Amino acid sequence: MKVSLNYKNVLKFVSEEEIKNNEKATLVALDTLLNKKGAGSDFLGWIEYAKNYDKEEFARIKKAAAKIHANSEVLVVIGIGGSYLGAKAVIEALKPYFCQKKDLEVIFVGNNLSSTYVAELLAYVKNKDFSINVISKSGTTTEPAIAFRLFKELLIEKYGIAAKERIFATTDKAKGALRELSTTEGYETFVVPDDIGGRYSWFTAVGLLPICASGIDIDELMKGANDAYNDCKNTPYLENSSLLYSSIRNLLYQKKKCIEVLVNFEPKLSYISEWWKQLYGESEGKDHKGLFPASLVYSTDLHSMGQYIQDGMRIMFETILNIQNPETDFTLKSEENNLDGLNFLSGVNFDSVAKKAMQGTILAHVDGGVPNLVLEMEKMDAYHLGYLLYFFMFSCGISGYMLGVNPFNQPGVENYKKNMFALLGKPGYEELRKKLLERL
Ligand code: PA5
C-alpha cells in the first residue's frame, strides 16, 4: 500500500498476539462498512466516490476554475468545518510556502467569528479582482452565511450585475437557503452529495473547486483516492495498513491510551492534521467514548509540548506521518573556522537532520511510555495526498465501528448552535433564551 504502517514501537504496549487476535473484530467492522450494515450507512456515498463521481460536474469544476484563474487575483472560499478543511489542507500541503506573485490566492473565510479577520480580508480584496466560492451543505450555517452576505455585497459594489458571474455556490442539490438564493440569483452551482457528510467531502465539489482553482491536479487526487479504496478494501489484514491502524489504535484505547497525537515534521501538513482532527473527533467522539485527536508539528513542538509528551500523564500515543522524500532538500556545507561547531554536519542533507530528530524522538518517547506508530509515505504530491486522505477516511469508518459508534453523524455539533441562536434572539428560540439568560 502507498501508506505503510510501522508498528514496531507499539509492541512494548500491545503484543503481536493481541494484534492478530483483533483481526476478527476488524474484519467485522470492515464488513459493516463495505456492506452498509451499520449505523449511518446512508452516509457512505464517499466509499466508491473516487470511481463513481459525476464526470460532467468534474469537467464543469475544471471550467469554473479556469474562469476564476482568468479573471481573478483572489478566490474567496466561504465555508466552515467539513466545508473548508479538506480544501485548505490540500492546498497548504501542495502549494509552495511562499506564494509566487502571479499565483491565484485562495483565501478562506466564514470559518471563524473574528470581526478583525473579516474586516481585514474585506479591505484586502477591495481593490483586487476576486471571485467567491460559497460552500455549505445545509445552506444555513451562520458563520459562512454572514461572510457570504458581506463578500457578496462587496462584489456587487465592484462589479454590479456582473457580480453573479463571479459567484460559485456548492450546496445541497435541492434544499436549503443557499440553494434557493443561487436559483433566484442565477449563480453557477455544484452539488454536495446527499450521502456524503462534510468531513468526508473533500474530493467532491466541496474541495475540488478551490483545489483546482489553486492549480493542483485534481485527476491525480482522485486517482490516488481510488487506488486507496482498492487497496484498503482488498489487502489482507496483516498487510493492510488501514485495517492495522484501526485495529491498533482501538487496542491502545482499550489500554487507556485516550489521546492520539498526529505528528508531522513538515509544517505544510498542519492543516492535514486539522482535517484529520475533525474527521476523527466528529466521527468517534460520541456516547462518551472516543480517542481525543490532537496534533503537533515537530521539531517545533518538541520545544514546547515535548516535555509533556516525554514525561506527563501516560494517556497518549503518537502517530507520526513520515514523508520519506521531501519536495526539496539541500546539503549542508563545511565552514573554515567552524566557530559554531557544526562541521560534523558538512555533506549531510538538511532533511536527514529531520529524520534523525524523528528517530531520536521516537526512541525517547517510547522509553518514556508513549506507544508510537509511523505512517510512511514515499512523497507528498497530489496522487499520494489523495491516497492518504482516503486512507484516513476508510480507517476512520472501520475504527468508529470497532468502537461501537456511528462514525457518520455529528449530533453534538448542534448544541452550541441552538444556544447561539437563542442568545442572538433568533425567532423561535424564545424559551431557550430565557433559560440561558438565567444561567449567565
Ligand atoms: O462535518 C460536518 O458535517 C460539519 O463540520 C459541517 O461540515 C459544518 O458544520 C458545515 O456545515 P455546512 O456545510 O452545512 O455549512
Side-chain angles (χ1 to χ4, degrees), residues 12 19-20 38-39 58 71 118 128 205 211 282 289 380 393 399 406 409:
K12 239 173 95 175
I19 296 170
K20 278 188 192 132
F58 196 78
N71 69 7
V118 172
K128 293 191 159 54
I211 291 170
E282 272 192 358
K289 294 197 269 193
M380 184 56 81
M393 295 198 298
S399 190
N406 173 355
N409 66 359

Side-chain angles (χ1 to χ4, degrees), residues 78-85 135-145 170-171 178 192 196-201 206 278-279 282 408-410 413-414 416-417:
I78 301 173
I80 195 165
S83 289
Y84 97 102
L85 277 166
I135 308 164
S136 177
K137 185 174 186 182
S138 61
T140 52
T141 308
T142 312
E143 293 90 335
T170 308
T171 189
L178 183 56
V192 189
I196 301 184
R199 56 195 180 275
Y200 295 83
S201 71
V206 170
Q278 188 208 7
L279 177 67
E282 272 192 358
F408 305 110
N409 66 359
Q410 55 288 324
V413 179
E414 293 311 309
Y416 101 91
K417 289 187 191 169

Side-chain angles (χ1 to χ4, degrees), residues 67-83:
K67 182 174 166 190
I68 294 166
H69 241 274
N71 69 7
S72 303
E73 295 164 273
V74 178
L75 173 63
V76 174
V77 179
I78 301 173
I80 195 165
S83 289

Side-chain angles (χ1 to χ4, degrees), residues 43 45 49 57 137 171-172 191-197 201 204-206:
F43 279 95
Y49 191 79
E57 185 183 62
K137 185 174 186 182
T171 189
D172 186 272
V191 170
V192 189
D194 282 344
D195 54 357
I196 301 184
S201 71
T204 70
V206 170

Side-chain angles (χ1 to χ4, degrees), residues 2-54:
K2 301 288 186 304
V3 176
S4 64
L5 178 74
N6 179 343
Y7 59 90
K8 195 169 153 195
N9 284 304
V10 294
L11 294 176
K12 239 173 95 175
F13 309 89
V14 175
S15 68
E16 285 275 15
E17 204 186 348
E18 284 174 297
I19 296 170
K20 278 188 192 132
N21 290 343
N22 214 26
E23 175 170 3
K24 199 168 160 216
T26 312
L27 295 185
V28 169
L30 175 68
D31 175 56
T32 306
L33 183 74
L34 290 177
N35 296 310
K36 304 193 173 183
K37 293 178 175 170
S41 60
D42 43 345
F43 279 95
L44 292 177
W46 58 273
I47 295 235
E48 298 197 335
Y49 191 79
K51 187 173 66 178
N52 296 341
Y53 64 90
D54 177 345

Side-chain angles (χ1 to χ4, degrees), residues 160-177:
I161 186 117
K164 70 174 187 198
E165 299 299 323
R166 292 174 173 268
I167 297 176
F168 302 87
T170 308
T171 189
D172 186 272
K173 68 174 183 312
K175 57 183 192 300

